[in-house]
Amino acid sequence: MSDTQLTPEELAGQKYKYGFTTDIAMEEFPKGLSEEIVRLISAKKQEPEWLLEWRLKAYRLWCESEEPHWAHIHHPPINYQDYYYYAAPAKAAPKSLDEVDPELLKTYEKLGIPLNERAALAGVAVDAVFDSVSVATTFRETLAKAGVIFCPISEAVREHPELVRKYLGSVVPQSDNYFAALNSAVFSDGSFVYIPKGVRCPMELSTYFRINARNTGQFERTLIIADEGAYVSYLEGCTAPQRDENQLHAAVVELVAMNDATIKYSTVQNWYPGDAEGRGGIYNFVTKRGACRGRNSKISWTQVETGSAITWKYPSCILQGENSVGEFYSVAVTNHHQQADTGTKMIHIGKNTRSTIISKGISAGKSNNTYRGLVRILPAASGARNFTQCDSLLIGEECGAHTVPYIENRNLTSKVEHEATTSKIAEDQLFYCRSRGLSQEDAVGLIVNGFCKDVLKELPMEFAVEAQKLLSVSLEGSVG
Amino acid sequence: MLEIKNLRARIGEKEILKGIDLTVPTGEIHAIMGPNGAGKSTLSYVLSGRDGYEVTEGEVLYNGVNILELAPEDRAAAGMFLAFQYPVELPGVGNANFLRTALNAVRRKRGEPELDAVAFLKSARAAIKSLQMNEDFLKRNVNVGFSGGEKKRNEMLQMALLKPGLAILDETDSGLDIDALRIVSEGVNALRGPSFSALVITHYQRLLDHIVPDMVHVLAGGRIVRSGPKELALELEARGYAGVEAA
């Protein structure tokens, strides 16, 4: 177990009050980022030399590059030297549900999260949580039997160095962008998944994730490899509100699909969005990319983004293998002062590659919601096809919706279609629902869920229901 | 019982309803007829609580409760139902889901147990059969791509399930062919009974051949200018509104 993932005993033993007086010496991990800190992180994780070098290269690239400002987002300058890059001091974990903010519990109830999971999600010390450890063990055994590797990436570095070394940074190199470089230098932990040839992963990796993989830190790194003919469905995050004191998040996710392999990656992002006046909230700068390396491979991204003060995120597909397929299904909701600039890139390289983009943006309050997407068809991609549909829904008078599609087609035999609509929740729709007995908020929820149906149906079943409720909860107070 | 007392309402600065007095006893069906611009639709919207209509005077009691103080959804729970002249489309929202959500919202407020999916489908199918509709209706999105007649039938389906004590039909007959007209009328007539009342708002007399009213009121210039038995509708049909307006 890595140092950032505290054991249940450690969690329970932490008694930091706000004064913070335990023996975890903060002097060792000062604020700020330097080559020394990168070395320290690597040393603490007992990483091999090659990974240290890899991190240092990323650090140098980060130093040389500049924070990007092309997205439609605004924030005060980020002082990168004012953050902790390793094990930020945690607040004391509550010991039971009685100590948890009742508002948080109310939200869990609205979302229909099972009682025995609520404590775990609220951050109650793990050993106090109903049998989550035994459940996790059962999952682990099932996966091992199928030959699936699913573990923290820090563990994979030790146990499967050949796989990690081969694939880490092969889809998102350290030099990719400012935030990817930052993540590569200081990544805390994350998940590693390897599905061997011909194996269909026997379970949704979501269920496991929800109970087990918390505290992966603000610089999460995920690497998923589906070997020939393999299939895996992975769900990141959960619908429960994520309470996190770290303001800056910069994750990297890399997916690799070989011949005839399929990866389905679903995200429900519900980080703290800040308060109604726009104070606080997470800055979420994420780089997610999948490489369809093999023939007939398929990568499908589904995301429901309702949280964070700022979302900067473009899950993309590099369609290299012949007949490979990329999909992007997205719902992005912004309320109050939230800002989202999100979309995808579909890079068609191989023959007869196909991509589908369905994006649903919902803006309420004083928020801004931008779809930004690139469809690039390279000269070799004969017979390539793309279909893009971007729909925006506005709630109220003070929000903004923006659509920024880039289309670059360099092959005459390919076909690109783009459709976009912008609409408002009409007063007559609300009145119609209310005259049938629905409350204003239920009416908004119903209309918004209808608007998002094409995306929500792509989510794993058990999350689709929660995601529907999440949309309603996120938009509470947005009308009237 | 519905009692409207000296009801005045305006949109912006323009007064549309200029003192309406009307009583519909429980168990009766009353028709409101009148020329275009008389305030017929305004009356139905004010009764059901739509935003944008300001009541400046008067009160509306439904079973003794002043419903003007209630939100539209609470009026629905109290037993009122507005059948829309132009039913609204809800893209992506399945009809069955909409119906069940509405029905359970109303049942909750009335203190009745909610229906689970099986119980709901059973009653929905029964209602669909009695309205001679196709079961596909439940799978389609609310009013999206419906013909005019289908939309009106969908209103009747909602009404059959919500079982209101008072239905307000706002020109439900506009744009209907004769078959659809018959089906809509049967929908209303099926609910007819000692605990059901209706306010049938219409421009033409022909709907009243199918839904025979206990009383007919003429709304013109924001006031009820004449009331009488069902024969009044025939008289209006023959002589037009010009005469009554002058009166």
Side-chain angles (χ1 to χ4, degrees):
Chain A
M1 178 148 303
S2 76
D3 288 338
T4 45
Q5 281 196 315
L6 298 172
T7 63
E9 289 73 21
E10 284 169 330
L11 272 172
Q14 283 178 345
K15 290 211 173 79
Y16 330 127
K17 274 292 170 186
Y18 307 98
F20 195 76
T21 54
T22 62
D23 58 358
I24 292 190
M26 284 304 297
E27 310 86 72
E28 259 185 81
F29 308 102
K31 276 184 179 177
L33 183 52
S34 63
E35 191 167 317
E36 208 189 330
I37 289 283
V38 175
R39 286 180 185 279
L40 200 61
I41 291 169
S42 192
K44 270 282 163 193
K45 291 173 162 290
Q46 298 174 316
E47 288 175 350
E49 187 63 24
W50 69 264
L51 190 51
L52 171 64
E53 288 307 320
W54 195 86
R55 284 180 182 271
L56 287 172
K57 183 183 163 199
Y59 172 70
R60 288 175 204 126
L61 286 163
W62 180 74
C63 290
E64 289 161 15
S65 56
E66 278 181 27
E67 188 183 273
H69 290 279
W70 42 261
H72 190 81
I73 53 175
H74 304 280
H75 53 81
I78 298 171
N79 181 359
Y80 291 88
Q81 298 304 337
D82 198 32
Y83 289 98
Y84 289 101
Y85 289 88
Y86 186 79
K91 283 198 176 173
K95 288 199 194 52
S96 72
L97 277 177
D98 299 338
E99 293 178 29
V100 174
D101 179 2
E103 279 300 308
L104 192 63
L105 296 178
K106 218 187 275 174
T107 309
Y108 291 166
E109 201 181 320
K110 283 182 197 163
L111 291 170
I113 289 168
L115 203 57
N116 59 16
E117 284 182 33
R118 289 183 200 171
L121 293 166
V124 173
V126 178
D127 60 349
V129 173
F130 176 83
D131 78 9
S132 67
V133 175
S134 62
V135 172
T137 311
T138 318
F139 289 166
R140 227 169 217 276
E141 282 166 5
T142 313
L143 292 173
K145 213 179 273 175
V148 171
I149 303 170
F150 180 34
C151 63
I153 199 158
S154 53
E155 188 183 318
V157 169
R158 290 192 301 271
E159 307 291 327
H160 310 282
E162 70 298 339
L163 284 172
V164 177
R165 200 167 176 178
K166 184 171 172 190
Y167 291 106
L168 186 72
S170 74
V171 186
V172 180
Q174 297 111 304
S175 59
D176 192 78
N177 67 70
Y178 187 79
F179 298 112
L182 177 64
N183 174 285
S184 302
V186 300
F187 70 87
S188 35
D189 214 331
S191 302
F192 176 81
V193 179
Y194 175 78
I195 315 289
K197 278 185 189 174
V199 170
R200 187 180 170 92
C201 188
M203 56 189 282
E204 295 270 353
L205 291 184
S206 53
T207 334
Y208 183 103
F209 193 96
R210 175 145 127 180
I211 309 176
N212 219 35
R214 274 179 309 281
N215 293 319
T216 44
Q218 65 206 99
F219 302 104
E220 198 172 334
R221 184 102 199 178
T222 301
L223 177 56
I224 300 176
I225 301 135
D227 216 325
E228 286 184 20
Y231 170 90
V232 61
S233 168
Y234 184 94
L235 191 132
E236 169 204 35
C238 68
T239 53
Q242 306 275 297
R243 287 294 162 109
D244 191 313
E245 303 303 320
N246 299 311
Q247 196 192 16
L248 178 66
H249 278 239
V252 170
V253 175
E254 296 178 278
L255 312 181
V256 179
M258 310 308 279
N259 287 346
D260 303 301
T262 297
I263 301 175
K264 188 171 163 56
Y265 192 105
S266 313
T267 305
V268 176
Q269 187 263 114
N270 190 17
W271 298 106
Y272 181 51
D275 66 15
E277 271 71 51
R279 286 181 299 249
I282 305 287
Y283 291 180
N284 196 23
F285 300 104
V286 193
T287 306
K288 291 185 168 177
R289 194 172 304 152
C292 282
R293 297 244 163 99
R295 295 185 309 273
N296 309 319
S297 56
K298 178 175 169 182
I299 288 179
S300 182
W301 299 100
T302 305
Q303 63 174 23
V304 175
E305 303 278 322
T306 63
S308 296
I310 295 176
T311 300
W312 180 98
K313 180 180 172 188
Y314 315 91
S316 304
C317 296
I318 299 169
L319 302 170
Q320 203 177 341
E322 267 182 44
N323 301 320
S324 60
V325 174
E327 294 174 338
F328 175 74
Y329 300 100
S330 169
V331 170
V333 179
T334 53
N335 196 0
H336 303 305
H337 291 263
Q338 281 177 277
Q339 307 175 62
D341 193 300
T342 184
T344 183
K345 290 188 276 187
M346 293 290 175
I347 314 293
H348 291 256
I349 301 172
K351 284 192 181 119
N352 298 319
T353 46
R354 281 163 292 149
S355 62
T356 304
I357 299 170
I358 309 279
S359 164
K360 306 277 180 178
I362 298 144
S363 337
K366 295 180 184 337
S367 68
N368 265 298
N369 202 327
T370 303
Y371 167 81
R372 187 182 303 277
L374 167 69
V375 176
R376 176 180 288 156
I377 306 214
L378 293 172
S382 297
R385 289 182 63 179
N386 162 266
F387 174 75
T388 300
Q389 186 177 338
C390 298
D391 297 322
S392 305
L393 187 67
L394 300 168
I395 303 175
E397 308 289 337
E398 294 177 88
C399 54
H402 317 271
T403 303
V404 191
Y406 304 86
I407 299 170
E408 299 172 16
N409 191 346
R410 295 202 269 153
N411 185 302
L412 287 174
T413 63
S414 63
K415 193 171 158 193
V416 177
E417 290 175 76
H418 182 97
E419 290 177 9
T421 65
T422 302
S423 52
K424 287 187 69 167
I425 289 193
E427 185 272 332
D428 62 351
Q429 290 177 319
L430 284 178
F431 176 62
Y432 189 64
C433 293
R434 294 180 74 189
S435 75
R436 297 297 177 257
L438 275 70
S439 67
Q440 175 102 319
E441 280 171 354
D442 287 347
V444 170
L446 196 75
I447 293 166
V448 166
N449 275 301
F451 175 75
C452 300
K453 194 171 75 175
D454 292 345
V455 173
L456 296 179
K457 71 180 197 311
E458 298 295 329
L459 280 178
M461 192 55 142
E462 68 267 38
F463 280 90
V465 178
E466 278 183 25
Q468 280 183 24
K469 292 181 187 153
L470 176 62
L471 292 182
S472 307
V473 172
S474 306
L475 290 167
E476 268 178 12
S478 61
V479 180
Chain B
M1 177 143 88
L2 177 73
E3 298 162 275
I4 304 174
K5 297 178 182 170
N6 189 30
L7 180 65
R8 287 174 176 266
R10 63 184 184 190
I11 307 173
E13 290 302 303
K14 193 172 182 217
E15 185 166 59
I16 310 284
L17 303 183
K18 300 174 180 171
I20 292 194
D21 288 287
L22 181 68
T23 299
V24 183
T26 305
E28 291 192 7
I29 291 181
H30 288 205
I32 293 190
M33 299 183 71
N36 290 326
K40 299 196 297 291
S41 283
T42 298
L43 177 61
S44 67
Y45 288 143
V46 167
L47 292 180
S48 45
R50 187 166 194 161
D51 284 341
Y53 298 84
E54 190 194 346
V55 174
T56 52
E57 225 184 306
E59 57 181 7
V60 178
L61 302 178
Y62 176 58
N63 295 337
V65 178
N66 186 359
I67 53 115
L68 294 178
E69 288 161 9
L70 300 181
E73 56 270 34
D74 295 326
R75 299 185 197 195
M80 295 174 65
F81 180 90
L82 171 65
F84 281 57
Q85 183 177 4
Y86 303 108
V88 178
E89 298 185 4
L90 301 175
V93 179
N95 219 10
N97 182 25
F98 178 68
L99 287 167
R100 189 172 155 220
T101 307
L103 184 58
N104 279 337
V106 164
R107 289 179 71 98
R108 245 191 335 268
K109 283 195 177 148
R110 291 177 186 166
E112 296 165 14
E114 295 185 33
L115 292 185
D116 63 23
V118 177
F120 164 76
L121 267 183
K122 207 173 151 192
S123 53
R125 286 197 176 121
I128 276 191
K129 205 173 165 193
S130 72
L131 288 166
Q132 300 173 37
M133 288 161 65
N134 192 318
E135 258 190 44
D136 283 355
F137 250 72
L138 290 174
K139 291 183 194 146
R140 293 166 68 182
N141 291 338
V142 179
N143 295 327
V144 177
F146 282 30
S147 70
E150 285 175 328
K151 283 183 180 172
K152 298 293 168 70
R153 276 192 229 191
N154 207 19
E155 296 290 284
M156 292 304 105
L157 174 60
Q158 292 171 16
M159 190 172 79
L161 285 168
L162 291 171
K163 297 196 175 56
L166 172 69
I168 301 161
L169 281 72
D170 184 13
E171 309 224 11
T172 298
D173 50 336
S174 65
L176 287 194
D177 61 34
I178 196 74
D179 288 338
L181 194 68
R182 186 175 50 78
I183 283 159
V184 163
S185 310
E186 281 169 7
V188 177
N189 290 331
L191 290 177
R192 210 165 185 159
S195 57
F196 174 78
S197 1
L199 205 51
V200 179
I201 296 173
T202 183
H203 189 77
Y204 300 106
Q205 190 271 336
R206 62 172 190 166
L207 178 64
L208 306 181
D209 290 340
H210 301 274
I211 305 171
V212 180
D214 297 294
M215 285 280 280
V216 175
H217 308 275
V218 180
L219 179 64
R223 288 190 189 86
I224 302 288
V225 294
R226 227 179 126 181
S227 299
K230 61 179 190 285
E231 290 74 21
L232 176 57
L234 296 168
E235 185 189 326
L236 290 169
E237 181 81 352
R239 295 172 41 190
Y241 290 111
V244 288
E245 265 178 290

